[in-house]
Amino acid sequence: MRAVPLAVAVLVAGCGTAGPATPPPAPPPSQAVAPAPQPPPDTFDLAAAEEFITREGFTPTPPEGTLTGPLRAIHSMCTGSANGRCQEVFFFDGQRVAGSVHAGMVEIAEQDGSSVVLSFPRYAPGDPGCCPSAGTSIHRITLVGGGIKDDPPIPELPNGQGG
C-alpha cells in the first residue's frame, strides 16, 4: 500500500519543479508543408468550340487574336446563308457553352474575358437590306449563374423592323 502514495508524491513534485518547456524541433525539409497548388493555366480549345458551332449549323468566323476567358464569344453565320443576314454569337464559359444570341446582323465590338460587347446595326422601316439607317444598339454580355446576361436586354428583333 505504500507504493501508491509514493507514486502520487513523485508526480506532484515533478509538476512544480520542471524548467521552461522546450519547443519541439522544426520538421525536416522533407516534411515541410508544401504551398497550395496553383490553378491550371486558362486554356481554351478553339478547334473544339468551332467544331461545336459547325455541328449546330453555323460557320464560325475565326476570331482575331487569342481569346482570353473565362467568357469567350465566337461570331458565326448560318451555313449556306445567301445574304449573310443570319448570324449567331456563341458564348463559352471556359469550354462549356453558356448561351448564344441570334440576329440578322451582329458584330462582336470587344471582349476582354469577363464581358463581351455586341453591336447590332438597326434598320428603320423601309430600309433596304444593304443599308440600315437607324444607328446601332450596344449590349454588354456577362456570365451570371452559368448563363449569359445582356445589359441592356437585347430586344426580340435586335436589328429593328426593316431589312
Side-chain angles (χ1 to χ4, degrees):
M1 295 272 190
R2 268 181 114 174
V4 172
L6 179 60
V8 171
V10 169
L11 286 175
V12 171
C15 288
T17 60
T22 304
S30 64
Q31 293 180 356
V33 177
Q38 297 298 314
D42 186 28
T43 59
F44 181 66
D45 186 344
L46 178 60
E50 290 177 327
E51 184 178 312
F52 169 81
I53 292 169
T54 300
R55 284 193 316 266
E56 292 295 305
F58 296 88
T59 301
T61 305
E64 296 177 15
T66 302
L67 298 177
T68 60
L71 176 62
R72 295 170 175 91
I74 299 176
H75 178 271
S76 64
M77 286 193 200
C78 297
T79 300
S81 174
N83 62 11
R85 286 188 209 86
C86 176
Q87 301 178 13
E88 186 113 4
V89 176
F90 289 87
F91 298 92
F92 294 85
D93 177 3
Q95 206 63 43
R96 184 185 66 79
V97 178
S100 68
V101 170
H102 184 80
M105 293 193 309
V106 58
E107 177 183 327
I108 299 172
E110 63 183 71
Q111 61 178 307
D112 63 10
S114 62
S115 70
V116 176
V117 176
L118 299 180
S119 173
F120 297 88
R122 304 277 300 165
Y123 288 91
D127 279 352
C130 69
C131 310
S133 67
T136 58
S137 64
I138 304 293
H139 304 268
R140 184 172 300 277
I141 309 296
T142 55
L143 290 171
V144 175
I148 58 172
K149 178 174 179 8
D150 48 345
D151 184 30
I154 298 170
E156 185 177 334
L157 297 172
N159 297 119
Q161 302 277 333

